[in-house]
Amino acid sequence: MRSKLTLALLVANVAMAAAPCTSSAQLLIGPQSQPWGTASGGDGTLYVTDTGHDCVRVFSSSGALLRTLGSTGSGTGQLRGPTGITIGEDGLVYVADTGNNRIQSFDTSGNFLGTVYAGLALNAPHGLAMSGPFLYVADTNNHRVLALELWDGGIGSLPLPAGGFGSGDGQFAFPTGLAITPDGSLVVADTGNDRLVLYGTTQATFGTTGSALGQLRAPTGVAVDLSGNVYVVDQGNNRVQAFTQTGALVGVVGTGQLSAPSGIAWDRSSLTVAVADSGNDRVQSFATFPADLTPVSAVPPASLGLNQSFTVPVTVRNNGPATTYFSSVRGSLSLSSSQFNWNMIYCSGYVTVAPGTEQVVNMTCRTDYAMTPGSYYLGIRTYTRDGLADSTPANDILVVGPISIAP
């Protein structure tokens, strides 16, 4: 009942607060704005649905307003109470025009392009996410999630349930937020059931009702970083919680700083999450939770020849707090045990490690035919995925050897 009331009040406030969308805004959005959705442009820009003023505002990384999209109304290119927003792989901006029960698309300059699947019987759509040619829509008041194919990508959509109101498998209660994981799975914030549901390569359901750590009350927006950690706006508890894809709690941000938060976006350029702090009419950014990888041990061969392939098993530990997916482990050979050219890589491997656990990765390696014969050391270094910061980079390197390399 609490989740249903929250959504009903949101729609009512949108109608009361509607006003022309002007360009005289800063990142502190302003009275009655009710920012709901956020999306990262990938270049530091931030797109925010200004629900109270029926538009989308685009900000620079420093918080300066760059432009606005849309205006109040129900005509083409106009919006009424927009909520969810995503920037597709095609570079276009898709907006959940919630009050008009439709999805509209714009280019990044703000030009209206069209209505997606015009005539589709949506009822208060909220969250949006895109993967390949498919735009996923949280059709909130119809208690379902839709996959809309925008072009022929030659692939199938994720296996989504038919939906319908309820708390059983394949059912939803006012789903709102959506996000895509690095392996292509879809995360759904099943708001009325106080849970998260994952579909695709990863299949999971987690979350129980409550205010303790790891529990949820009316989760709304969701975002996923490139390591696969899931950030959920725990609206009823005025906080953001981060989980692994199996439901283990990673950490909490925003406690005591948020009021009725809604949407969230992960920004790769700053390694932060941007949260629509709706009750405070502003957007706040918080640092994300990195993994802390350490190469613990390795067993290299005692001797090698030139231009020879070999394998080195490396034990990697994740000290937490976050899970890391497909992290890189690389090796460099040097005649010195203290100086390595990390641009000269002789070994590589990938590993997924949960917090507090260890995994063995077999690095594939090859010596160079032009190497000077001698006694070499193997430097092994861990890298979290796609440039994500490691919380303690000082423990990322392990040196083993010596290894005799002869002609």
Side-chain angles (χ1 to χ4, degrees):
M1 182 63 69
R2 178 182 292 104
S3 299
K4 185 184 296 186
L5 179 60
T6 299
L7 293 173
L9 287 175
L10 176 61
V11 174
N13 287 336
V14 165
M16 290 186 294
C21 184
T22 66
S23 59
S24 59
Q26 298 177 355
L27 193 51
L28 183 64
I29 303 294
Q32 293 186 317
S33 293
Q34 299 172 348
W36 200 98
T38 58
S40 171
D43 57 356
T45 54
L46 181 67
Y47 291 70
V48 181
T49 52
D50 186 347
T51 304
H53 293 138
D54 300 322
C55 67
V56 175
R57 301 187 190 274
V58 186
F59 298 94
S60 70
S61 57
S62 62
L65 181 69
L66 301 176
R67 56 191 172 275
T68 61
L69 287 66
S71 60
T72 300
S74 56
T76 56
Q78 293 184 312
L79 302 169
R80 194 170 296 280
T83 54
I85 184 170
T86 191
I87 299 176
E89 296 177 15
D90 54 4
L92 303 183
V93 181
Y94 295 90
V95 182
D97 186 8
T98 307
N100 287 319
N101 294 315
R102 62 187 179 184
I103 309 299
Q104 299 207 69
S105 63
F106 300 82
D107 64 23
T108 53
S109 297
N111 300 307
F112 171 71
L113 298 179
T115 298
V116 178
Y117 278 67
L120 195 63
L122 300 174
N123 190 349
H126 277 68
L128 303 175
M130 196 165 183
S131 179
F134 292 96
L135 177 67
Y136 295 92
V137 180
D139 190 9
T140 303
N141 286 359
N142 282 327
H143 313 292
R144 62 180 180 175
V145 176
L146 301 177
L148 308 180
E149 188 174 23
L150 303 188
W151 67 87
D152 183 5
I155 58 175
S157 66
L158 294 171
L160 298 177
F165 181 77
S167 58
D169 291 341
Q171 294 182 313
F172 298 110
F174 302 100
T176 52
L178 302 176
I180 303 292
T181 68
D183 66 10
S185 299
L186 177 70
V187 184
V188 181
D190 189 5
T191 307
N193 287 319
D194 297 324
R195 66 184 182 183
L196 297 182
V197 185
L198 279 73
Y199 297 99
T201 303
T202 303
Q203 300 277 348
T205 299
F206 56 87
T208 58
T209 303
S211 57
L213 291 179
Q215 293 185 313
L216 301 169
R217 287 191 184 276
T220 52
V222 286
V224 182
D225 66 24
L226 284 178
S227 282
N229 302 295
V230 179
Y231 297 78
V232 55
V233 175
D234 187 8
Q235 186 182 77
N237 290 315
N238 293 314
R239 63 189 179 188
V240 174
Q241 298 196 76
F243 298 88
T244 67
Q245 290 182 31
T246 57
L249 179 68
V250 173
V252 181
V253 298
T255 302
Q257 303 175 62
L258 300 169
S259 175
S262 50
I264 187 172
W266 184 76
D267 179 33
R268 177 176 178 171
S269 65
S270 63
L271 304 181
T272 60
V273 285
V275 181
D277 187 8
S278 306
N280 288 320
D281 297 320
R282 63 184 178 183
V283 175
Q284 295 201 65
S285 292
F286 298 93
T288 52
F289 295 98
D292 176 18
L293 298 183
T294 301
V296 177
S297 63
V299 185
S303 61
L304 294 166
L306 298 179
N307 198 30
Q308 179 179 341
S309 297
F310 61 103
T311 300
V312 178
V314 181
T315 300
V316 178
R317 179 174 179 79
N318 183 359
N319 302 300
T323 293
T324 178
Y325 294 83
F326 303 107
S327 292
S328 176
V329 183
R330 302 174 188 173
S332 181
L333 291 165
S334 172
L335 291 167
S336 168
S337 62
S338 59
Q339 294 181 337
F340 293 89
N341 180 358
W342 295 109
N343 293 318
M344 185 69 70
I345 301 301
Y346 293 89
C347 305
S348 64
Y350 293 91
V351 65
T352 296
V353 195
T357 67
E358 296 180 353
Q359 293 289 333
V360 176
V361 55
N362 289 313
M363 290 196 306
T364 56
C365 312
R366 190 177 189 89
T367 57
D368 195 314
Y369 70 91
M371 295 176 70
T372 301
S375 184
Y376 281 79
Y377 293 88
L378 175 63
I380 300 169
R381 190 172 188 177
T382 53
Y383 298 79
T384 48
R385 183 176 177 179
D386 291 323
L388 287 175
D390 190 316
S391 56
T392 52
N395 63 7
D396 293 351
I397 298 175
L398 172 70
V399 178
V400 294
I403 305 169
S404 176
I405 298 181

